[in-house]
């Protein structure tokens, strides 16, 4: 039996219309922008044809404030840049000032700094893993897994320094106080929790075909292009370049530590996700070695520090592997107790400047995922 | 003690001594008039704004130097003595780093002009926009010199030393306070 369909009417083809691009405003208050970030997307149907990012909603004048406070006071502003891992910013700031002044750091303090900074890195990457899962539609389950473990790390920060997000624990010339007595035991307990959290996230995301299909092949990037655009950190490593400042321009006690640099292949969204997940494992490895190698006892702050820190004329550009990439601090002194100029080379800022190139040509729904994969922190972008 | 990396595709830690890098630059780019200095971290090359594009083009394209990565651009205001721009460069091929300093006249009307590097290094785009709004330096050839961190219609340059540290409300005339900065 055959069915006789009525003849199709003359459908109007798309060529008969002038299509008009539509402008969509995303942000500054929007959950997918991870802070106060605004972008204006111009779309042709579902395809993004242009993207204009607007930043500066969180601009607090970090550099101007640093010029008007002495070296110790200004540190409080700096850990409010990358607020997901404030401790790494403190370390970078203090190491820049030490580079400028030539102040030495006791060995025990160097190890404590590495332990605390890697805990900060774990926290920041867990935040990414949780938030990114939500960006691609896992509806908060990844968030709860990630936050369960982040709380433990923050509790540990509170025990050590008295504050959770902004410990202000690092000092020029060392750290402010020694670790509490049961720190090693507590830290190992936290790390085993993080390990468990990673397994949960891994099972939920890495092995999930919906997630993998969503991310694989989206917004790929070559190493050459990433370098030209100024991209550093996990996004550069996802393109296959094992460039990590802890290895490339080593500082502190990192040359003595054994760890790998995870890399991706194509620089797509999945690789960026995978590199960050692998980096948490490496951070755990680093902390475990430090707990083993750290000198028992000894000073944690340089005893020869003057009451007021005055630094002779000079300048330096200190670079630190922050959680998002190269966290550079340009510092210049003209004598006196205040810096003449402090400039932050913020990795999120530079990574975000490549957003337009990544987003144009993709679908609107992908734009949110691509933005999420950059793992920006607006405190760091806007300074 | 050092248990170090299996293999990395770049040399570790700026192993080229500053003196050696200096002699390479002198040999390869001998047409460009430059002076040399030293910071606590890097070799410093001082070049006039007119020669900047030629110098940086050479630094990027010559195989012996191959500075393929623009890390950072910093503006500095020295008040009466003028201003300066500091470019931080890095080479993934050789692992060496360099700072390029461009001395500029004091902040004034008209603004000092520097050639834009946005065509050579796409990464320079936002750094130059930031230096433009914070210091009032014009980058010739930049495609889009709008304000980035500040409001679009705010034409102040807060990082100049003449600009006082004060609350935004006083600047905008919403609240009273000590006499503000005249624009």
């Amino acid at each position: 039996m055959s069915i006789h369909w009525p003849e199709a009417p003359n459908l109007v083809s798309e060529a008969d219309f002038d299509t008009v691009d539509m402008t969509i405003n995303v942000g500054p208050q929007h959950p997918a922008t991870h802070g106060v970030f605004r972008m204006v997307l111009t779309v042709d149907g579902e395809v993004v044809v242009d993207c204009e990012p607007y930043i500066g909603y969180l601009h607090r004048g970090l550099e101007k404030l640093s010029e008007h406070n002495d070296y110790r006071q200004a540190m409080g502003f700096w850990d409010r840049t990358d607020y997901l891992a404030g401790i790494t910013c403190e370390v970078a700031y203090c190491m820049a000032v030490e580079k400028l002044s030539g102040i030495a750091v006791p060995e025990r303090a160097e190890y404590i700094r590495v332990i605390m900074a890697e805990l900060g890195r774990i926290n920041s990457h867990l935040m990414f893993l949780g938030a990114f899962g939500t960006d691609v539609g896992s509806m908060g389950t990844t968030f709860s897994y990630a936050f369960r473990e982040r709380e433990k790390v923050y509790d540990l920060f509170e025990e050590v320094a008295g504050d959770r997000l902004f410990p202000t624990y690092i000092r020029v010339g060392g750290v402010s106080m020694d670790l509490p007595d049961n720190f090693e035991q507590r830290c190992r307990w936290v790390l085993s929790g993080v390990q468990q959290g990673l397994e949960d996230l891994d099972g939920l995301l890495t092995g999930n075909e919906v997630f993998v299909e969503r991310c694989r092949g989206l917004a790929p990037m070559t190493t050459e292009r990433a370098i030209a655009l100024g991209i550093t950190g996990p996004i550069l490593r996802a393109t296959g370049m094992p460039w990590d400042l802890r290895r490339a321009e080593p500082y502190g006690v990192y040359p003595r530590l054994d760890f790998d640099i995870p890399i991706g292949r194509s620089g797509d969204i999945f690789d960026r996700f995978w590199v960050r997940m692998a980096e948490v494992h490496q951070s755990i490895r680093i902390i475990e070695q430090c707990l083993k190698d750290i000198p028992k006892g000894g000073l944690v702050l340089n005893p020869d520090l003057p009451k007021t820190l005055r630094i002779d004329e000079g300048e330096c550009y200190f670079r630190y592997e922050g959680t998002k990439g190269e966290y550079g601090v340009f510092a210049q002194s003209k004598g006196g107790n205040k810096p003449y100029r402090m400039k932050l080379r913020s990795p999120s800022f530079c990574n975000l400047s490549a957003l337009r190139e990544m987003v144009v040509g993709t679908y609107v729904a992908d734009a949110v995922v691509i933005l999420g994969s950059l793992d920006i922190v607006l405190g760091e972008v806007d300074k | 003690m050092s248990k170090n990396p299996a293999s990395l595709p770049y040399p570790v830690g700026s192993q080229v001594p500053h003196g050696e890098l200096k002699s390479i630059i002198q040999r390869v780019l001998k047409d460009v008039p430059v002076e040399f200095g030293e910071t606590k971290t890097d070799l410093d090359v001082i070049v006039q704004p007119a020669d900047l594009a030629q110098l940086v083009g050479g630094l990027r394209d010559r195989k012996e130097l191959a500075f393929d990565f623009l890390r950072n651009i910093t503006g500095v205001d020295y008040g009466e003595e003028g201003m300066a721009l500091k470019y931080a460069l890095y080479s993934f091929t050789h692992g060496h780093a360099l700072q390029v300093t461009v001395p500029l006249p004091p902040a004034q009307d008209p603004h000092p002009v520097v050639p834009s590097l946005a065509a050579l290094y796409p990464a320079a785009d936002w750094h130059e926009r930031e230096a433009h709004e914070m210091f009032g330096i014009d980058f010739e050839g930049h495609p889009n010199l709008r304000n980035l961190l500040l409001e679009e219609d705010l034409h102040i340059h807060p990082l100049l030393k003449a600009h006082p540290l004060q609350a935004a409300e006083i600047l905008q005339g919403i609240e009273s306070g000590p006499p503000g900065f005249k624009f």
Side-chain angles (χ1 to χ4, degrees):
Chain A
M1 196 180 116
S2 63
I3 303 171
H4 290 282
W5 293 103
E7 202 163 295
N10 280 333
L11 289 172
V12 186
S13 79
E14 241 178 65
D16 298 337
F17 286 106
D18 286 335
T19 57
V20 179
D21 290 348
M22 191 167 74
T23 308
I24 302 177
N25 178 55
V26 183
Q29 270 79 33
H30 190 285
T33 58
H34 299 269
V36 276
F37 168 68
R38 174 178 168 226
M39 59 182 174
V40 176
L41 298 172
T42 309
V43 293
D44 177 11
E46 279 284 297
V47 180
V48 179
V49 292
D50 196 9
C51 166
E52 182 69 45
Y54 290 87
I55 61 172
Y57 294 95
L58 206 57
H59 181 59
R60 293 150 297 178
L62 166 78
E63 291 161 10
K64 189 79 177 172
L65 286 168
S66 295
E67 286 173 17
H68 285 81
N69 288 277
D70 77 24
Y71 288 102
R72 285 168 188 160
Q73 292 170 327
M75 198 175 67
F77 305 121
W78 284 71
D79 62 5
R80 278 144 182 88
T81 54
D82 181 357
Y83 46 73
L84 296 176
I87 193 97
T88 58
C89 309
E90 288 174 21
V91 177
Y93 173 82
C94 287
M95 289 183 96
V97 176
E98 284 154 13
K99 191 75 145 181
L100 198 61
S101 59
I103 291 171
V105 182
E107 197 179 357
R108 185 171 164 83
E110 289 273 19
Y111 276 98
I112 295 176
R113 282 181 180 187
V114 172
I115 294 173
M116 297 302 278
E118 295 302 326
L119 283 171
R121 193 181 310 275
I122 289 174
N123 246 357
S124 167
H125 282 0
L126 280 178
M127 178 75 205
F128 165 79
L129 296 170
F132 185 62
T134 310
D135 277 342
V136 296
S138 86
M139 288 301 165
T141 317
T142 52
F143 232 88
S144 15
Y145 283 164
F147 269 67
R148 191 184 67 203
E149 307 313 331
R150 292 186 81 228
E151 276 308 304
K152 294 177 187 165
V153 181
Y154 276 146
D155 285 347
L156 192 61
F157 275 5
E158 194 174 3
E159 284 165 33
V160 173
D163 200 310
R164 290 152 58 81
L165 262 76
F166 309 117
T168 326
Y169 176 59
I170 314 295
R171 292 285 183 276
V172 176
V175 296
S176 66
M177 52 191 144
D178 208 340
L179 297 171
D181 288 342
N182 61 345
F183 178 79
E184 183 174 343
Q185 196 191 348
R186 286 277 293 127
C187 188
R188 286 190 197 281
W189 180 77
V190 169
L191 291 183
S192 68
V194 172
Q195 198 80 264
Q196 179 61 44
L198 277 181
E199 271 170 38
D200 292 346
L201 286 165
D202 196 46
L204 192 63
L205 295 175
T206 321
N208 180 341
E209 197 173 340
V210 178
F211 174 78
V212 174
E213 285 300 311
R214 182 82 178 84
C215 300
R216 183 150 280 168
L218 181 58
M221 176 152 282
T222 62
T223 305
E224 290 72 33
R225 196 60 197 154
I227 291 171
L229 289 166
I231 291 174
T232 47
I235 308 176
L236 176 63
R237 292 193 279 276
T239 66
M241 166 61 93
W243 193 75
D244 188 320
L245 283 164
R246 290 173 290 175
R247 281 272 186 261
E249 294 182 334
Y251 49 84
V253 292
Y254 281 108
R256 301 183 207 166
L257 302 169
D258 183 25
F259 63 98
D260 300 325
I261 305 175
I263 55 168
R265 258 175 299 183
S266 60
D268 62 7
I269 306 287
F270 184 80
D271 283 353
R272 293 174 200 172
F273 159 81
W274 189 88
V275 163
R276 289 193 179 102
M277 182 163 264
E279 273 181 21
V280 182
H281 285 290
Q282 297 304 323
S283 291
I284 294 175
R285 246 176 99 185
I286 293 173
I287 295 172
E288 279 172 350
Q289 288 171 56
C290 286
L291 288 176
K292 195 157 67 63
D293 295 349
I294 186 169
K296 305 281 178 280
L299 292 170
V300 292
L301 190 63
N302 189 333
D304 303 327
L305 284 174
K307 276 192 184 132
T308 306
L309 192 60
R310 294 177 196 281
I311 299 181
D312 295 338
E313 207 162 305
E315 62 185 89
C316 75
Y317 175 65
F318 180 77
R319 42 265 181 181
Y320 179 87
E321 184 66 33
T323 56
K324 319 286 188 283
E326 178 181 320
Y327 192 97
V329 181
F330 176 87
Q332 184 166 21
S333 170
K334 288 243 170 199
N337 62 349
K338 292 172 185 166
Y340 190 77
R341 171 90 170 104
M342 281 294 220
K343 154 96 176 152
L344 165 63
R345 187 263 185 213
S346 136
S348 293
F349 177 86
C350 300
N351 294 351
L352 185 63
S353 70
L355 176 72
R356 185 178 180 280
E357 185 159 324
M358 291 183 198
V359 163
V360 169
T362 62
Y363 293 111
V364 180
D366 292 341
V368 171
V369 180
I370 294 169
L371 179 66
S373 81
L374 290 178
D375 190 22
I376 50 166
V377 170
L378 268 301
E380 196 179 68
V381 173
D382 293 343
K383 302 177 192 173
Chain B
M1 183 84 185
S2 174
K3 313 163 195 162
N4 246 332
S7 66
L8 295 172
Y10 49 85
V12 170
S14 311
Q15 280 168 348
V16 186
H18 291 177
E20 202 172 303
L21 182 58
K22 181 177 165 183
S23 63
I24 299 176
I25 294 172
Q26 277 169 335
R27 178 164 53 82
V28 175
L29 301 172
K30 51 178 170 302
D31 311 337
V32 191
V34 292
E35 286 168 45
F36 291 93
E38 193 108 1
T39 74
K40 307 251 173 179
T41 43
D42 303 303
L43 179 70
D44 192 9
V45 180
I46 300 145
V47 66
Q48 293 304 316
D51 303 318
L52 176 70
Q54 196 193 351
L55 174 78
V56 175
L59 288 175
R60 192 189 71 147
D61 295 332
R62 299 302 294 261
K63 269 210 296 294
E64 302 90 326
L65 297 162
F67 284 98
D68 46 4
F69 179 34
L70 178 74
R71 295 181 131 150
N72 186 25
I73 301 177
T74 306
V76 191
D77 178 28
Y78 298 119
E80 295 291 304
E81 295 166 36
M83 290 196 280
L85 277 170
K86 314 259 180 185
Y87 296 78
L89 298 167
Y90 177 79
S91 163
F92 277 86
T93 321
H94 302 294
H96 50 214
L98 182 71
Q99 175 173 294
V100 176
T101 298
V102 183
L104 294 171
Q108 58 188 348
D109 214 19
H111 294 156
V113 180
V114 181
S116 167
L117 299 185
L120 285 172
Y121 296 101
D125 185 347
W126 280 22
H127 287 302
E128 287 180 352
R129 277 174 74 180
E130 196 192 341
H132 170 72
E133 66 183 342
M134 294 297 172
F135 292 93
I137 299 166
D138 283 345
F139 290 90
E140 201 174 13
H142 190 285
N144 183 13
L145 265 188
R146 289 183 298 113
N147 275 1
L148 186 62
L149 293 170
L150 303 179
E151 286 171 42
E152 283 87 348
D153 55 350
L154 199 59
H155 297 292
I156 59 173
H157 307 300
L159 283 182
L160 293 178
K161 290 285 173 186
H163 188 104
L165 182 73
Q166 60 188 173
E169 288 77 13
I170 301 172
L171 277 176
Q172 292 163 359
I174 302 168
E175 272 179 27
S176 59
F181 184 63
K182 294 282 175 291
F183 303 108

